[in-house]
Amino acid sequence: AIGDMWKQRGLSTYLGMTVTGYPNMFFPYGPHGPTAFCNGPTCAEVQGNWIIDCLIYLREHDCSRIDATQEASEAWVQRVNDIFNKGFWYQAKSYYTGANVPGKRLEALNFPGGLPLYINLIQESARGGYAGFTLT
């Protein structure tokens, strides 16, 4: 299960909407998305529209399966962590790192790069034929 995997190894997502090994599963407004740094309805709309466009693309290209690659997930986690480490979030016990939950691993829970950068990055994947994913 995803929860067990994340407890053991830490969060791992691609674009804050997918998890390697869980094809066709999208989760808007979740970990490694802009979630806590974005207005909720705006974030849900941005991610929801991206997912809709992705599903249309899959249908138009006769694909029935999409799965994030391990390499893309690792690069996304590294990007999230690199941006996160430039801030002061780890210096305070807060929701942003999970420190408010006793025993929880301290890690970046959200994409802190801002919504404009996030939109650019997810659209970059889409423009590249959903780069970072295996489509079949």
Side-chain angles (χ1 to χ4, degrees):
I2 293 174
D4 294 332
M5 179 179 73
W6 286 348
K7 280 182 185 176
Q8 291 174 3
R9 296 184 251 161
L11 292 175
S12 179
T13 75
Y14 182 50
L15 305 180
M17 292 186 279
T18 63
V19 176
T20 302
Y22 290 84
N24 299 342
M25 185 184 86
F26 299 96
F27 55 89
Y29 212 69
H32 290 168
T35 315
F37 301 111
C38 179
N39 173 278
T42 301
C43 186
E45 182 176 12
V46 165
Q47 291 181 317
N49 286 338
W50 187 91
I51 292 167
I52 291 167
D53 291 344
C54 178
L55 295 174
I56 291 169
Y57 181 92
L58 291 172
R59 183 173 50 207
E60 290 175 349
H61 290 83
D62 294 321
C63 296
S64 61
R65 180 183 168 103
I66 183 169
D67 193 12
T69 67
Q70 186 64 40
E71 296 80 16
S73 292
E74 289 171 2
W76 182 257
V77 171
Q78 188 63 54
R79 179 184 298 267
V80 169
N81 287 330
D82 287 348
I83 297 169
F84 201 83
N85 287 332
K86 292 178 183 177
F88 295 103
W89 290 289
Y90 284 118
Q91 295 180 18
K93 292 184 179 182
S94 76
Y95 156 83
Y96 297 108
T97 62
N100 60 322
V101 179
K104 184 172 176 58
R105 171 194 303 267
L106 297 182
E107 60 186 327
L109 300 180
N110 301 278
F111 178 81
L115 191 60
L117 176 59
Y118 181 77
I119 290 170
N120 185 54
L121 293 170
I122 65 174
Q123 290 305 324
E124 187 177 289
S125 170
R127 285 189 302 271
Y130 293 89
F133 291 96
T134 300
L135 310 178
T136 53

